[in-house]
Amino acid sequence: MPSSPSRGAVPALLVTILIWAYSWVVMKQVLAYAGPFHFAALRYLLGAAVLFAALLVARQSLRPPPLLPTLLIGLCQTTAFQGLEQWALLDGGAGHVALLAYTMPFWAVLLAWLLLGDHPTARHWLGLALAALGLLCIIEPWRAMGSPLSTTLAIAGGAAWAAGTVLSKRMFQRHAPSVLNLTAWQMLLGGIVLGGIALAVPERAIEWNWLFIGGLTYSVLLASSLAWWLWSIVLQRLPTTVASVSSLGVPIVSVLLAWLILHEQPSPLELVGIVFVLLGLCAVSGVRLRRR
């Protein structure tokens, strides 16, 4: 059987979904011991250091990819997305914020269409419509929000991530950088900006205890270094629409984990929304719900 250029992308996507799903619980828990920007800056600067060490071990070039596009990716994908989502978690539940952050695919599909000429198929539009209906049930805009600021920050973060996703795809198409190299450099540049924000914004001092150190370690080694590297592989090998909408598996698992660990019980309408999102994922990925 001939090898497909997308082979390896699906396992990478599944591992990424599992790592990132639990990371939302971790991010919520560490806010008991640190401010959002200090934690985000530490997470990504240390994560970048791990990736540069991996470059050295793999004997890959440390030379940066084209600097301006890499900086734009870092500002969108690391600085804006991570800073806004960590801020949103101050007042929002981990499961709810994760679900709102994953409005990303809707922005990504539109941006990929405009910037990359990546035209969605009828199946993709069906998946998006089902997922949009599911997110509508989850967000419940007709009800008073517990925290409008948290909701706005989470959605804005999702839009920023979408921009970073499309810019990454364009970078791979135009310059074909090493996945590990691009991930390390965008994370470093975005992390430096996060560090500047952390120094400028007054926040509580970090409480260095084993719970915080454990959460930081998970976030640095798995949720930042490994998962973002795997996500870059997914973007390199799958169409932007498929990769983006498939990532909606993360908030679904996050809601279930937040329910089990943080006792954030989803409402009946949120559960209905999860079903619609899963149906959207099946439509986009081409999974058949019946036997042939």
Side-chain angles (χ1 to χ4, degrees), residues 92-229:
H96 198 75
V97 170
L99 286 163
L100 294 175
Y102 280 81
T103 52
M104 178 274 285
F106 307 106
W107 308 112
V109 168
L110 295 176
L111 290 172
W113 191 3
L114 293 172
L115 299 179
L116 305 177
D118 193 354
H119 296 281
T121 66
R123 177 164 53 82
H124 294 153
W125 284 120
L126 173 61
L128 279 172
L130 289 168
L133 181 59
L135 286 173
L136 189 66
C137 293
I138 291 162
I139 296 171
E140 299 182 63
W142 52 86
R143 291 180 53 188
M145 294 289 182
S147 173
L149 176 61
S150 176
T151 297
T152 302
L153 292 171
I155 294 174
W161 183 16
T165 295
V166 173
L167 290 171
S168 297
K169 187 70 174 183
R170 187 166 67 176
M171 172 76 91
F172 285 125
Q173 291 176 347
R174 293 185 176 182
H175 304 286
S178 154
V179 172
L180 187 58
N181 183 278
L182 175 61
T183 308
W185 277 101
Q186 71 84 15
M187 192 173 292
L188 174 64
L189 296 174
I192 289 172
V193 178
L194 272 174
I197 295 172
L199 292 175
V201 175
E203 290 189 321
R204 59 171 297 172
I206 296 175
E207 184 180 336
W208 291 94
N209 57 41
W210 289 112
L211 291 175
F212 176 79
I213 293 171
L216 181 63
T217 301
Y218 180 92
S219 299
V220 169
L221 296 180
L222 297 179
S224 299
S225 306
L226 177 60
W228 279 107
W229 173 61

Side-chain angles (χ1 to χ4, degrees), residues 255 258-260 262-268 270-271:
V255 168
W259 187 3
L260 292 172
L262 302 178
H263 308 294
E264 296 176 3
Q265 184 169 357
S267 68
E270 282 182 315
L271 294 174

Side-chain angles (χ1 to χ4, degrees), residues 12-27 43-44 77 81-82 94 98 102 104 161 165 183 186-187 218-219 222-232 234-235 243-244 246-251 253-255 257:
L13 180 62
L14 292 175
V15 174
T16 303
I17 286 173
L18 292 175
I19 292 173
W20 275 348
Y22 183 61
S23 76
W24 288 95
V25 174
V26 173
M27 287 192 294
R43 169 184 173 178
Y44 282 98
Q77 194 161 272
F81 173 54
Q82 297 301 324
Y102 280 81
M104 178 274 285
W161 183 16
T165 295
T183 308
Q186 71 84 15
M187 192 173 292
Y218 180 92
S219 299
L222 297 179
S224 299
S225 306
L226 177 60
W228 279 107
W229 173 61
L230 291 173
W231 175 246
S232 295
V234 172
L235 289 179
S244 300
S246 297
S247 70
L248 284 170
V250 174
V253 180
S254 293
V255 168
L257 290 175

Side-chain angles (χ1 to χ4, degrees), residues 266-280:
S267 68
L269 201 54
E270 282 182 315
L271 294 174
V272 171
I274 288 173
V275 172
F276 276 110
V277 172
L278 290 174
L279 290 174

